[in-house]
Amino acid sequence: MVKDLFPQFSDEVIKKAAKANRQRVPLGTISLMLGGLAGLIWAVNLPYPMIRRPVAKTAPILLLPSYLSMDRNYREAIAHVEQADRLVNEATSLADFELGEEKVKIAQKNLDALPVWFLGYEPQRYCSFVSCSWQFTLDEFEAARAKVGRMEATLFQEKNAMTQLEQSEATLEQSKQNYQSAATSGEKQTTLSAWQTSIDELNALPPNTLAAKVAQRKLQAYERDFKEVAGVVAKGNRSNTLINAAKGFANAAAQMSQNPPHPRATWQQCEELWGFAIQRLESVPVEDAGYADAQKLLATYRSNLATIEIRRQAEADAVQALEIAQRKIERLLASVPADVDVRDRSKIASQFQGIVNQLSKVQPGTTAYEEAQVLLQSARNKLKEWQ
């Protein structure tokens, strides 16, 4: 049957093949031999120079797995380092840094997989067959390590700068919202302080970072908005300062004028205080936010000043009228003779009438009023006697 299938072979050849087939090695033995060979290859590829170097000189083919791994990791390390370098140092967004960070980690993993103990010991026979594209030297390895280290430092700085940028911008936007809802000048001032701090933080970002470049494009608008708001607040503060000062003078004047009557000097001091208050209100510029409030107060204060001026003048007139009346009384009493005829009585009555008229000029609410009333009553009584 075999002869029919393979007529080209002689009977002798067919017999030998049949004999060899009967004496073939069992499958289990072959598996054991292959397992032993795999274990030997694994052992000689371990990262121990005392094992590898003799094998590299006598049977370098056994180190083929290590050489293939070295070649692959070297190629990938170089490629990932170059990709990471472009992404990190030429980044235009945060996504570039995130991808660059991934490439740096992969490149670091590739470099870690390269056997440091093998530096300066090239697999020359392997490279002569496969044309190695790398020269695995200490300088090259250290240069790659240093480049990865620099990129890691750059990424750390860039990530911190980006975090600071996001936090500062969030604080700045919150400050804008808080300013809109601020009810008092104190709250507005506190909000402006936080706003200014955020701008200072943006200006303080490391200048070579992407975050700083992004911030610089926005800072001009941020600072313009801040200056506009700060200018309004500054004008408002100026108005508040002037108005508060005016109120202070007004309160002092009001307290001083309580419980009249007062001497002319007191009314004059009140008049000066109201004048100081009015001067402060008149100093509030038209463009200030407090101008309208200042004008309302100004109308009230001018009315109060006019009242004080009237009271001061009334006091001065009352004191003057009382003094004149007192001098007339003194002269009259000194000039009345012991014996008075009819004509003298008429003349004296006329003088008492003049004293009554003079005392009647003293107005109520003046310091001279009570004394004037006593003298007036006495003068009227004397007038009746001499009429």
Side-chain angles (χ1 to χ4, degrees):
M1 183 177 183
V2 175
K3 182 65 175 175
D4 295 337
L5 293 173
F6 302 101
Q8 67 273 29
F9 297 113
S10 64
D11 293 339
E12 186 66 22
V13 172
I14 292 173
K15 289 180 180 180
K16 289 182 178 180
K19 183 177 180 180
N21 185 51
R22 289 193 297 270
Q23 297 178 350
R24 67 182 177 182
V25 179
L27 183 61
T29 302
I30 295 176
S31 299
L32 183 62
M33 292 174 62
L34 291 176
L37 179 60
L40 176 63
I41 294 175
W42 173 82
V44 299
N45 279 275
L46 289 173
Y48 299 116
M50 63 181 64
I51 297 176
R52 295 179 59 91
R53 286 178 180 172
V55 175
K57 293 180 180 179
T58 57
I61 192 64
L62 295 178
L63 300 178
L64 183 62
S66 294
Y67 297 151
L68 292 173
S69 176
M70 290 167 59
D71 193 30
R72 177 180 59 80
N73 282 303
Y74 175 83
R75 293 174 184 273
E76 291 182 0
I78 295 300
H80 290 139
V81 167
E82 291 177 354
Q83 292 172 7
D85 182 59
R86 287 194 298 271
L87 289 168
V88 172
N89 296 317
E90 300 176 11
T92 58
S93 65
L94 183 59
D96 289 342
F97 286 122
E98 293 175 350
L99 182 57
E101 185 177 18
E102 293 179 7
K103 296 296 183 180
V104 167
K105 290 179 179 179
I106 297 174
Q108 183 68 61
K109 186 176 180 181
N110 293 137
L111 290 173
D112 291 340
L114 292 174
V116 181
W117 50 266
F118 210 47
L119 295 176
Y121 172 51
E122 299 177 5
Q124 296 178 357
R125 295 188 181 181
Y126 168 77
C127 288
S128 64
F129 287 112
V130 299
S131 300
C132 293
S133 61
W134 47 279
Q135 296 293 323
F136 195 38
T137 64
L138 179 61
D139 292 340
E140 187 176 13
F141 182 81
E142 292 296 338
R145 284 282 195 191
K147 196 168 187 178
V148 169
R150 287 193 299 269
M151 285 190 289
E152 287 178 340
T154 299
L155 284 169
F156 180 79
Q157 185 184 45
E158 290 285 357
K159 289 175 68 177
N160 285 344
M162 277 294 181
T163 300
Q164 183 61 55
L165 172 64
E166 293 173 356
Q167 292 176 351
S168 298
E169 285 189 320
T171 303
L172 190 148
E173 292 299 329
Q174 186 63 48
S175 297
K176 287 184 177 181
Q177 296 178 11
N178 292 342
Y179 175 81
Q180 298 298 329
S181 60
T184 65
S185 59
E187 292 177 352
K188 290 183 178 181
Q189 192 61 49
T190 300
T191 302
L192 283 179
S193 298
W195 194 339
Q196 180 64 67
T197 299
S198 299
I199 292 178
D200 293 340
E201 290 174 351
L202 292 175
N203 278 312
L205 290 172
N208 295 326
T209 61
L210 176 63
K213 296 175 183 177
V214 173
Q216 287 301 318
R217 293 196 293 266
K218 300 180 179 180
L219 268 171
Q220 186 175 1
Y222 289 157
E223 290 176 346
R224 183 188 63 245
D225 294 343
F226 176 79
K227 287 179 180 178
E228 290 179 357
V229 174
V232 172
V233 172
K235 292 177 181 178
N237 291 339
R238 177 176 60 187
S239 300
N240 290 336
T241 300
L242 292 171
I243 291 174
N244 289 335
K247 288 180 178 179
F249 287 119
N251 290 334
Q255 291 177 3
M256 185 174 291
S257 62
Q258 289 178 357
N259 303 318
H262 297 298
R264 178 174 178 272
T266 301
W267 291 119
Q268 191 167 2
Q269 290 180 1
C270 292
E271 187 177 339
E272 291 177 354
L273 289 172
W274 283 115
F276 292 150
I278 290 172
Q279 288 176 1
R280 299 305 184 275
L281 295 176
E282 289 176 340
S283 299
V284 176
V286 178
E287 65 272 13
D288 282 12
Y291 179 77
D293 294 335
Q295 292 300 305
K296 292 178 182 178
L297 288 175
L298 192 59
T300 302
Y301 289 1
R302 283 174 175 166
S303 176
N304 293 341
L305 176 59
T307 300
I308 296 300
E309 288 175 343
I310 293 172
R311 299 294 296 269
R312 176 184 59 78
Q313 188 61 47
E315 176 67 21
D317 293 342
V319 171
Q320 183 180 17
L322 178 62
E323 291 176 350
I324 293 173
Q326 288 173 335
R327 289 196 296 268
K328 287 184 176 182
I329 292 172
E330 291 175 358
R331 288 196 299 267
L332 179 59
L333 294 176
S335 64
V336 174
D339 297 327
V340 180
D341 58 19
V342 177
R343 289 178 299 179
D344 291 333
R345 290 182 67 85
S346 177
K347 182 178 181 181
I348 292 172
S350 177
Q351 290 178 351
F352 274 115
Q353 183 63 54
I355 292 172
V356 169
N357 294 338
Q358 190 65 38
L359 291 172
S360 298
K361 294 179 180 179
V362 178
Q363 298 294 323
T366 61
T367 57
Y369 183 73
E370 291 184 2
E371 184 177 358
Q373 290 300 304
V374 173
L375 293 176
L376 180 60
Q377 186 62 39
S378 177
R380 285 173 176 170
N381 293 335
K382 289 293 184 180
L383 177 60
K384 290 180 181 180
E385 292 178 4
W386 292 96
Q387 284 180 341

